[in-house]
Amino acid sequence: MLRWIIFITFYSVITFYGFQALKTLIKHNWIYYVFFGVALLIIGNFLYQFLGPSEGRVLTPAKSYAFGFIISFVMFNLVIVPILLGEDILRLILGLYDRLVTSNEPFYLPSRRKFVSQIAIGLAAIPFGALLYGMYRGKYRFRVLKYTLTFDDLPAGFDGYKITQISDIHSGSFDNQEKIAYGVNLINNQESDVILFTGDMVNNKYSEMLPWKSLFGNLKAKDGIYSILGNHDYGDYVNWNSKEEREANLNSLKKLQKDMGYDLLLNESRYLERNGDRIALVGVENWGVGGFKKAGDLKQATAQINKDDFKILMSHDPSHWEHQVIDDDYHYHLTLSGHTHGMQFGIEIPGWIKWSPIKWRYKYWAGIYKEKGQYINVNRGFGYLGYPGRVGIWPEITVIELKKGSKPA
């Protein structure tokens, strides 16, 4: 309860500063009523969604939007606070100076300067507008990222082999059938040899995927569709009535993927064959640091393949690559992960900058990395979770072409 009191106090203080900037610029009372009405509506809905009956850490679309709107409003006011607070300190200094040095008049604070409030609101409008855009359009701004990776020991039959990777569908967050259909068609339009899905099909329950089953069941690739589980797929964030109920949910999700035509790898491997050659596809269950489930077992997953095989590993959490895969006795030529979402917020200008706050949590958080002769691609995710949008880090479909040769293509 104390943390909620602290949060409400914090929210009230920064909202007051936002109002002060607005009051300096606009002299219409109805604007003030609207501002405070919106502030109360946002905080009221947020408290209702997060303090009401709950099944655990389950983020429904309603909760996500409550979170999104309060983050947007808080960011708007938070940008204003240091600017107006700095002005308040300066006003206090000038008022004290005038009272003690230049005048015998009673102490008073100089009026706020209009241009300072204009600057504050102008700057605050940037993250506010970006966060609203992210909820309205950014979350469905799908993009296809294409990479060519060259390997000396790639079997000749797989020269030019195309892989489409998708990750982090999070179907429990979706709210637009048309946009999701566009994204699924975009995947099929890549006409890759194989589609690999690297986990988090749902937020918490298998039933979240049912409205989208037919859409994602229409994915097609010459060599099939393979999948693994992500941390959210296990249902660990729900307050189930029993262990059996949780296990039944997981079994239903596994069956659902099978019904959709996905070959779910649970610490298992498969061989992909092409022109008389073959490569090993390895899929592990979730393994992550920082309190995440560690069900992934590389030894079990590779029990049926040879150490010298060319190997592609699917592992949901990139921390697995960092902590176990890179230094494993087996050489994993390419690892495909997801999980981070790129935090759904950041700045990316190809060739110039790639930044997100998630970099402080994950060393490998988006895109292609190479260490010790091994590659990993961390997919930014197809869907979204928590904040119901994306800003700067757009939903991703990855296409990787494998090439044989000693020099990069």
Side-chain angles (χ1 to χ4, degrees), residues 187-328:
I187 297 169
N188 277 333
N189 290 343
Q190 304 313 307
E191 298 182 341
S192 290
D193 296 293
V194 69
I195 295 175
L196 304 180
F197 169 61
T198 47
D200 277 1
M201 179 169 281
V202 298
N203 294 349
N204 299 283
K205 297 182 176 181
Y206 89 96
S207 57
E208 297 166 359
M209 191 63 187
L210 293 178
W212 313 98
K213 176 183 176 181
S214 60
L215 265 180
F216 285 91
N218 283 329
L219 290 177
K220 305 294 181 185
K222 301 180 187 71
D223 292 340
I225 305 167
Y226 297 86
S227 63
I228 58 172
L229 297 176
N231 56 298
H232 280 269
D233 293 322
Y234 295 90
D236 288 344
Y237 309 125
V238 179
N239 293 330
W240 301 101
N241 293 320
S242 65
K243 179 181 178 181
E244 290 73 23
E245 186 179 13
R246 183 183 67 182
E247 290 177 351
N249 174 75
L250 179 57
N251 289 332
S252 295
L253 179 62
K254 293 176 182 178
K255 183 179 183 301
L256 179 64
Q257 293 202 28
K258 182 179 180 181
D259 293 343
M260 292 166 58
Y262 293 21
D263 188 350
L264 178 63
L265 304 184
L266 301 168
N267 293 324
E268 298 174 273
S269 63
R270 304 284 188 269
Y271 278 111
L272 302 176
E273 298 187 2
R274 178 61 56 93
N275 300 326
D277 289 319
R278 66 181 189 175
I279 61 176
L281 178 64
V282 181
V284 295
E285 295 198 50
N286 191 81
W287 193 104
V289 298
F292 289 106
K293 181 183 289 290
K294 291 179 172 61
D297 188 331
L298 282 172
K299 300 302 181 186
Q300 179 182 336
T302 56
Q304 302 301 317
I305 67 173
N306 300 316
K307 185 175 182 180
D308 295 331
D309 286 329
F310 186 96
K311 293 176 286 295
I312 297 174
L313 172 66
M314 295 194 295
S315 180
H316 178 69
D317 192 321
S319 64
H320 187 214
W321 191 69
E322 177 184 359
H323 290 275
Q324 287 199 342
V325 176
I326 294 177
D327 295 317
D328 191 82

Side-chain angles (χ1 to χ4, degrees), residues 340-391:
T340 71
H341 300 203
M343 202 176 172
Q344 298 167 211
F345 178 86
I347 302 171
E348 287 196 86
I349 303 175
W352 289 87
I353 186 173
K354 184 176 79 173
W355 178 88
S356 168
I358 199 69
K359 67 177 294 184
W360 297 321
R361 173 67 175 82
Y362 290 96
K363 182 178 180 180
Y364 309 102
W365 59 274
I368 296 283
Y369 302 88
K370 184 179 182 181
E371 298 282 354
K372 300 181 179 179
Q374 302 168 81
Y375 288 98
I376 185 174
N377 180 62
V378 184
N379 185 286
R380 295 160 180 81
F382 185 91
Y384 53 90
L385 182 70
Y387 164 63
R390 285 178 176 266
V391 179

